[in-house]
Amino acid sequence: MPEPHRRTLLTIATAAITAALLALTQLGGAQSALAATLFTDDFSDGDTAGWSKSGGTWSVVGDDGQALQQAKGDTDNARLFAGSTSWTDYTVQARVKPVSLPADGAVALLARAAGSTTYLRLALLPGNQVRLESVRSGAATVLGSASRPVTVGTWYTLKIEVGGSAVRGYLDGALVASGTGTIGGTGRIGVQTRYATARYDDVTVTSGGTTPTTPPPATTPPGTPTATPTVPPTTGPPPTGQSSVVAKDGSGNFSSVQAAVNAVPTGNSSRYTITVKPGTYRELVTIPADKPYISFVGSTGNARDVVITYDNASGTPKPGGGTWGTSGSASVTVDGNDFTASHLTFSNTFDEAAFDYSAEQAVAILTRADRLVFDNVRFLGNQDTLYHNSANSSTIGRAYFRDCYVEGDVDFIFGRGTGVFDRCEIKALSRGSSSNNGYVTAPSTMIDNPYGFLFVQCTLTTDSAGPQSVHLGRPWHPSGDVNAIGQVVFRDSVLGAHVKNSPWTDMSGFSWRDARFFEYRNSGPGATVTADRPQLTDAQAPNYTAQRYLAGSDNWNPIH
């Protein structure tokens, strides 16, 4: 069965593990790789089960996917709570979009809710203000505030970290305020509006804090007017702490993504968030193996607003001689474990029509690391768009792609990595053929790895490829390696009419029938079951779920 979209982990065993972790990882310390996910909801199931209401009109609506909406603008205190009153030190994060925000309005994320009127609050306010508050019995004490652009109709990412009596608030990955809470040390999480309407999405609660202590910019005591913070220089080291901002207009710490990566300490052992402001960043970016725990976050929440791109192809001449080759063509290369990316685009804009190269593979991203998460990310290219590989043939590299968009034509998702594509759109482009417009996958999974690519609850689409013209995949044997026995499952997905009735095909003399290609309970006009379409049985299907693919020996579970 498909993985659930919402999980609340409140068993005695999890509580014990969490307590042990929190004893070792204080707020502001290094992030534990074993931090537990306590709660997550992306509202894709269309309801508010698991939440308790206190005022307002709440429902789930369509907004770039499903999102929670509070639509009653004339109430001074609309709240929705989730989780357990016994939660102690944790981080809560959510995407938030003010829909209406009048002069007396507020849109907020809540933590440590000990009751319906007692909690910590990070609020977006009119007049370009973000405020961190401690609220007891409805009376608010300001812990700090900052001047930041707050625009109706724009998605923001709010995050609150609580540990002991310390509390910190973040906007789009940047610390805006911190202080000492004046309420109890336990409580639920929540969302809130005051004389405003708003939408919320991707609510996640994890145990422990994730960012070392950083002096908050523009923090003010109660009653003091907030000045506009000084803009740091565009070059030089990032501010103290585990975050930095990239902006082409000079308003961040760096004007290029690679410069921000270069500033991450070698051997970094805690999460380092690089927030990227809107723009097209034409540069080659590499995350080296000795810099794990890096996160790229698009600042607006809209993946189209931040594009990291280049235009090399395999056959593009290199300075000094030779050509780049397939791996070298990548716009972005990820060798550092535990990398994450959200709300941005990776692209390769190589123009096949403009250059007559014999090798036109053009990779948008190459991954050779483990435990990677891509959330609301777009991957754009033509041939060989997404190269999901591993560090070497004896190493497994796992990646979770959630709510992503991948487009291309020939072998545009390929490699020996273990990857789960969960609720993604996979779009086939046209190569101008009436019978063969390419191949979605070209796996090279090693024979001793049971798991290659899993597509679950995905939608396979096209705007231009004709019916019966696109293959689901073919087996890639790099350099003729007979131990590369590709593994792919498409399950519980919607397949467009462009998918062939016989969707698997041979490659370089290797038969697809020797590979491990399966489908299960797909639908749509391209999901016709034929003799050339191996299907999982109901007994086999439980062995091919997102969690089975990604668990590994460390029981990794990023699914949300």
Side-chain angles (χ1 to χ4, degrees):
M1 297 298 293
E3 295 296 322
H5 297 178
R6 177 191 295 117
R7 304 188 315 280
T8 305
L9 309 177
L10 296 174
T11 63
I12 295 175
T14 299
I17 293 171
T18 301
L21 288 169
L22 296 176
L24 296 172
T25 307
Q26 298 299 319
L27 182 66
Q31 181 191 27
S32 169
L34 299 178
T37 299
L38 302 177
F39 178 90
T40 181
D41 200 349
D42 64 2
F43 307 103
S44 60
D45 53 6
D47 61 44
T48 58
W51 295 81
S52 60
K53 172 185 173 183
S54 181
T57 302
W58 299 90
S59 63
V60 177
V61 299
D63 188 330
D64 300 326
Q66 301 290 84
L68 174 69
Q69 175 174 268
Q70 199 296 105
K72 187 174 176 62
D74 59 354
T75 179
D76 66 346
N77 202 358
R79 293 145 296 167
L80 213 61
F81 297 101
S84 169
T85 56
S86 66
W87 282 350
T88 54
D89 297 354
Y90 61 81
T91 297
V92 55
Q93 178 172 295
R95 295 176 60 222
V96 180
K97 180 169 78 171
V99 177
S100 65
L101 190 61
D104 56 352
V107 174
L109 179 66
L110 310 179
R112 289 268 178 91
S116 61
T117 60
T118 299
Y119 36 75
L120 296 169
R121 175 168 64 195
L122 181 64
L124 299 175
L125 304 170
N128 294 329
Q129 290 290 303
V130 184
R131 184 179 298 162
L132 183 65
E133 299 173 318
S134 178
V135 180
R136 181 185 292 273
S137 299
T141 299
V142 178
L143 303 179
S145 63
S147 177
R148 295 288 188 274
V150 177
T151 305
V152 169
T154 298
W155 282 102
Y156 300 93
T157 298
L158 296 182
K159 180 172 73 173
I160 304 174
E161 291 180 345
V162 288
S165 62
V167 54
R168 290 197 292 274
Y170 299 79
L171 175 68
D172 291 335
L175 183 66
V176 295
S178 65
T180 300
T182 60
I183 62 174
T186 62
R188 298 179 294 172
I189 59 98
V191 293
Q192 179 190 38
T193 64
R194 181 182 70 219
Y195 296 122
T197 59
R199 290 179 179 173
Y200 300 84
D201 202 0
D202 298 330
V203 181
T204 303
V205 185
T206 55
S207 61
T210 60
T211 308
T213 303
T214 304
T219 301
T220 59
T224 303
T226 303
T228 301
T230 301
V231 177
T234 59
T235 59
T240 302
Q242 298 294 302
S243 66
S244 63
V245 177
V246 177
K248 292 183 71 67
D249 62 5
S251 61
N253 307 107
F254 303 96
S255 58
S256 81
V257 178
Q258 187 62 53
V261 172
N262 293 344
V264 176
T266 299
N268 180 51
S269 61
S270 62
R271 181 62 55 189
Y272 194 109
T273 300
I274 298 173
T275 300
V276 188
K277 291 189 176 182
T280 297
Y281 297 81
R282 187 179 182 276
E283 55 179 303
L284 297 173
V285 176
T286 298
I287 311 295
D290 59 3
K291 294 188 178 184
Y293 303 112
I294 291 177
S295 291
F296 287 177
V297 179
S299 66
T300 68
N302 186 336
R304 296 176 180 272
D305 291 343
V306 176
V307 180
I308 302 173
T309 186
Y310 212 73
D311 59 358
N312 282 335
S314 178
T316 301
K318 292 177 63 175
T323 58
W324 285 104
T326 300
S327 295
S329 74
S331 301
V332 176
T333 301
V334 179
D335 288 320
N337 289 343
D338 299 285
F339 173 83
T340 74
S342 56
H343 316 312
L344 46 75
T345 297
F346 298 118
S347 167
N348 190 312
T349 56
F350 171 70
D351 187 348
E352 295 179 334
F355 296 92
D356 186 18
Y357 293 155
S358 60
E360 295 186 339
Q361 298 88 346
V363 176
I365 188 169
L366 164 62
T367 70
R368 295 184 294 212
D370 191 29
R371 296 184 303 270
L372 313 178
V373 177
F374 298 88
D375 205 339
N376 184 29
V377 174
R378 300 165 75 233
F379 303 89
L380 309 183
N382 284 282
Q383 182 172 352
D384 290 8
T385 303
L386 198 167
Y387 191 176
H388 177 34
N389 218 33
S390 65
N392 53 63
S393 61
S394 61
T395 301
I396 294 176
R398 294 164 293 173
Y400 178 52
F401 302 85
R402 176 193 174 276
D403 194 26
C404 291
Y405 171 91
V406 189
E407 73 173 27
D409 43 44
V410 173
D411 307 332
F412 62 96
I413 299 173
F414 73 112
R416 64 171 173 256
T418 295
V420 171
F421 295 82
D422 184 2
R423 291 163 279 175
C424 296
E425 180 181 356
I426 312 299
K427 186 173 183 178
L429 303 180
S430 174
R431 297 182 70 83
S433 172
S434 61
S435 60
N436 186 359
N437 281 302
Y439 319 87
V440 175
T441 66
S444 56
T445 324
M446 298 307 294
I447 191 170
D448 56 354
N449 182 4
Y451 298 123
F453 299 151
L454 172 67
F455 297 83
V456 58
Q457 293 187 305
C458 292
T459 304
L460 274 63
T461 66
T462 187
D463 288 339
S464 51
Q468 295 286 312
S469 68
V470 175
H471 296 85
L472 289 180
R474 56 182 183 170
W476 180 36
H477 292 255
S479 303
D481 188 348
V482 296
N483 292 316
I485 308 296
Q487 199 280 330
V488 178
V489 172
F490 285 86
R491 63 172 297 169
D492 305 292
S493 295
V494 180
L495 313 185
H498 60 294
V499 176
K500 285 177 169 285
N501 284 342
S502 297
W504 310 103
T505 191
D506 303 341
M507 185 177 187
S508 303
F510 290 92
S511 172
W512 72 265
R513 296 181 186 278
D514 295 328
R516 296 168 287 175
F517 295 160
F518 295 97
E519 297 179 72
Y520 183 69
R521 292 188 177 180
N522 293 319
S523 60
T528 303
V529 177
T530 70
D532 287 333
R533 304 183 76 152
Q535 305 288 314
L536 294 175
T537 66
D538 289 343
Q540 292 172 323
N543 293 319
Y544 296 91
T545 63
Q547 191 165 352
R548 289 291 183 93
Y549 271 67
L550 298 176
S553 60
D554 56 359
N555 292 315
W556 186 52
N557 187 4
I559 303 159
H560 61 286

